Amino acid sequence: MKWSVLSGVAVRAATLITLSALVLPIVGCGKASAPSPAPVSFHAQGQPARLSDWHVLVADGGHLRLNAGVEPYALNTALFSDYAHKLRTIWMPPGTKAKYDATEAFDFPVGTIISKTFYYPRAAGDSDAVLRAPTQPGESRDGLDLTRMRLIETRLLVRRQDGWVALPYVWNAEQTDAVLARAGDSVPLEMRVADGRPAHRFDYQVPDANQCAGCHATDNSTRAIQPIGPRARHLNRDDPWHPGDNQLTRMAALGRLDGLPASGIARNARLDDAAAPLADRARAYLDVNCGHCHSPRGPADTSGLWLDAGTQDPIRLGRCKPPIAAGQGTGDHTFDIVPGKPEDSILVYRMDSLDPGAMMPEVGRATVDEEGVALVRDWIRDWVGQCSGAGDAGASRPVNTALRP
Amino acid sequence: MAWTSAVLACAAALAGCQQKAAPVAVDRDYQKVLIERLLDAKPGDVIDIPAGTFAFDRSLSLRVDGVTLRGAGMDKTVLSFRNQKSGAEGLLVNASDFTIENLAIEDSKGDGLKVNEGENITIRGVRVEWTRGPHTDNGAYGLYPVQTKNVLIEDCVVIGASDAGVYVGQSETIIVRRNRAERNVAGIEIENSKFADVYGNTAIDNTGGILVFDMPNLPRRGHSTRVFGNRVVGNNTDNFARKGAAVASVPAGSGIVLNSADKVEIFDNDIGDNKTANVIISSYWSTGYMNKYGVSKDYDPYPEEVYVHGNRFQGGGDSPDGLDLKALRVAMFGLSGRLPDVLWDGFANAKRSQGPQICVEGASGVLNADGPNKYKSPSMAGDAMRCSLPRLPQVSLPTTGVAATAKVAPAA
């Protein structure tokens, strides 16, 4: 007990020292009247029952703030999750740094805590309804105003000695704390759209801890959990909280990232960047939404369809590729991507479906990402060619329709 | 004898009615308990699930090696996914040394049980069923180990899968025995897998009974499958797969179907009353998927080194599925004739010096449908296919010591 108190003080002191070198985080300045929160607390083992046990985020029902030393970050193009907004943070023990990797997640030190808070703007009126609004709102530098935001869940990825663990926490109605929900949860939501369309009701699914691993175990053989977002190509962008600063160079300048090369860093396009080429935006979208499974080593390598950023072979990307074990997910279509014909492509069908037996991704959404599907449709519409030509060996041979029902 | 079976049938029907009439208490609170037990499992743990029907609204998953999941019996312990809202399968396992036995998985939205990577997988006495019977919206696969090694699937029952009841994909060293697959599109399917013994199974009332397929664009090719001592009868259910699935091209009334598979031995089976053909040997050309853009160039679409011998055939071929095959039957064999026991699409690799090496002994004949020439000149393959091939090795599982015992019946 004594030790932990002491180490807490030590950590806090170290944090303050480090912070003097940091650009101020979004935690409010000029809030001197508020009592200082306890420092971030890394639990080397166990499963703390409450999010507040970690002291990463501090909520009092009116505001959600980031504790000292907790740094927010943003991705170029992020995973779609039922139009939820996400506040992402990283905390590393003082004096430690992450190691750069060109393609995979950075190697973070033991003690790192990554948080992702899912929230929605509240719809007007007294109800609990939420608003479907653009995916990249500028969060206030003063944290989140909880009178205007509805918190759903906060997922923690914690780097322990043995590797990463995933812990999902669900927020209480008062928005003062979130409770561990290892078995997941289901949150009924009413989502309204500003343009007056009828409200959409669905059950927001909080994943259980194993389902977290379903996406975060990006190598299906080792089964080790990895962060997905903190990769160079996702982070390589302007820092929304520090305009003019690149997130990666800033991280390196603050001494939190080792090995950042001077040039040649990959960069995914931003979904909301109208100036970026269509193909770049579509590939960025597929990379972050699908590539963690659909890669040469991911759980969906069984399908032979690879959608990660590094894949270039058109067959691997699905061009005229027959599905493998898609079952009812084919939607009566023959190929993953039919050039120029999104309406005939399995890829679009599965993104557009809400049937758990057909939809992709398999978990993490209960609504259709209309903009995302439209983007992939546009991208496929741009593909030139057709699938109907037979192969070289059978150029004059039709398919055997006699053997088809 | 006939009378006895009639009485038994009545008794079974009555039991079924009584079962349906009895109120079934569904436990909705067990989901959290089981999810947490799966999360907290340690190697060596046995998770016992009591008798009862338990409802789940999300898929379950296990990621710890060395766990046994055990129910009180495939008709006593039922995991029901009828109201499933999320997750693509009933149970997803990504672990080795995994055993699941004596329980049922019902009405999952996607696959029943998927095991994605892992070694030493035992699936025993498990029933996977879509209770409304054949339906296109049923989940795709019942029991679905993929990229696994040392797999034993025995004494299971799979009903209603909209793709394949038992589907072993991209795996090696496999024994599938004493299972019953009925009213699925494909009863049992071995795909891109090597060293598989499929024996002692009953495949009835599926669209196709037992399938051995090899698909393109996968890192693993299959070979060496033995299909023996099975009962493959009356697989005449209309194909209810979603179009675009590989099995959607399987005609109703197919007994044993090989597609692009190499080194397959089919012997000592009872194969009968499959209305299209008791055995179909075909190439990837016949699936409707072959195209030069989406199929990798090193893929070999032709079935080769296939040895069919010593089976007991009865009936079949009398009412093939699809207008083309119906016309073919009448043109070749007359209004009351039937297609022979073995139907071959006729695609063969012209560059292979030994030919396709498809050898058939003891069947009523092999019809070469002449696919390469647009089915213009179908013919009975005569002496060319009356040959024999070396027997394939028996499969044995290293950890359990389980090995298939192959008995060779005299040629029918």
Side-chain angles (χ1 to χ4, degrees), chain A residues 182 210 223 328 330 400 403, chain B residues 40 61 65 243 249 375:
Chain A
R182 288 195 305 142
N210 267 343
R223 305 201 294 267
Q328 56 178 333
T330 65
N400 184 357
L403 287 182
Chain B
D40 295 336
S61 58
D65 289 342
K243 275 181 254 165
S249 61
Y375 313 96

Side-chain angles (χ1 to χ4, degrees), chain B residues 60-335:
Chain B
L60 305 169
S61 58
L62 171 71
R63 308 179 62 83
V64 179
D65 289 342
V67 173
T68 294
L69 203 56
R70 182 183 291 146
M74 70 161 71
D75 293 315
K76 295 198 173 84
T77 298
V78 178
L79 314 184
S80 171
F81 293 86
R82 179 170 303 203
N83 298 313
Q84 186 174 5
K85 287 177 184 157
S86 76
E89 45 279 301
L91 173 62
L92 173 65
V93 176
N94 179 207
S96 289
D97 306 304
F98 168 68
T99 296
I100 182 170
E101 56 192 13
N102 306 334
L103 54 78
I105 294 170
E106 288 185 355
D107 298 318
S108 56
K109 297 292 183 203
D111 310 322
L113 166 65
K114 181 175 183 179
V115 183
N116 192 347
E117 293 200 29
E119 296 189 10
N120 310 324
I121 309 298
T122 301
I123 302 170
R124 177 185 295 123
V126 173
R127 175 171 57 89
V128 178
E129 180 167 2
W130 283 271
T131 55
R132 63 181 158 187
H135 195 290
T136 302
D137 293 339
N138 288 351
Y141 305 99
L143 301 170
Y144 176 17
V146 60
Q147 293 186 354
T148 52
K149 189 176 173 184
N150 304 335
V151 185
L152 174 64
I153 302 178
E154 62 181 12
D155 303 314
C156 295
V157 173
V158 183
I159 299 170
S162 69
D163 202 301
V166 175
Y167 175 103
V168 183
Q170 301 175 58
S171 295
E172 67 178 87
T173 315
I174 300 148
I175 292 180
V176 177
R177 64 180 183 186
R178 301 192 307 259
N179 304 286
R180 183 159 62 88
E182 62 175 67
R183 287 178 285 157
N184 308 285
V185 174
I188 296 169
E189 181 171 359
I190 307 294
E191 190 169 281
N192 291 68
S193 292
K194 52 192 181 186
F195 306 115
D197 272 355
V198 179
Y199 68 97
N201 302 284
T202 299
I204 56 171
D205 293 332
N206 305 285
T207 301
I210 297 177
L211 279 55
V212 185
F213 276 32
D214 236 47
M215 302 286 282
N217 305 325
L218 294 176
R220 306 183 190 203
R221 290 301 311 264
H223 64 78
S224 302
T225 301
R226 303 194 308 163
V227 180
F228 60 96
N230 301 286
R231 191 162 168 266
V232 186
V233 174
N235 292 287
N236 300 317
T237 296
D238 286 346
N239 195 317
F240 59 98
R242 280 257 177 253
K243 275 181 254 165
V247 297
S249 61
V250 173
S254 302
I256 296 175
V257 185
L258 312 187
N259 194 267
S260 308
D262 290 356
K263 291 191 170 68
V264 184
E265 188 178 352
I266 300 171
F267 60 100
D268 189 30
N269 300 286
D270 290 294
I271 315 175
D273 300 329
N274 302 292
K275 288 183 172 180
T276 291
N278 286 325
V279 175
I280 295 177
I281 300 169
S282 59
S283 71
Y284 196 68
W285 294 105
S286 298
T287 60
Y289 288 119
M290 197 64 170
N291 75 88
K292 68 178 170 185
Y293 309 107
V295 176
S296 58
K297 291 187 172 24
D298 57 356
Y299 174 65
D300 166 21
Y302 306 102
E304 282 145 4
E305 296 176 67
V306 175
Y307 188 19
V308 181
H309 63 97
N311 299 287
R312 292 167 295 279
F313 291 106
Q314 190 171 19
D318 51 324
S319 180
D321 187 20
L323 291 176
D324 296 322
L325 287 172
K326 283 187 203 306
L328 180 65
R329 178 186 71 89
V330 174
M332 294 278 300
F333 307 99
L335 278 173

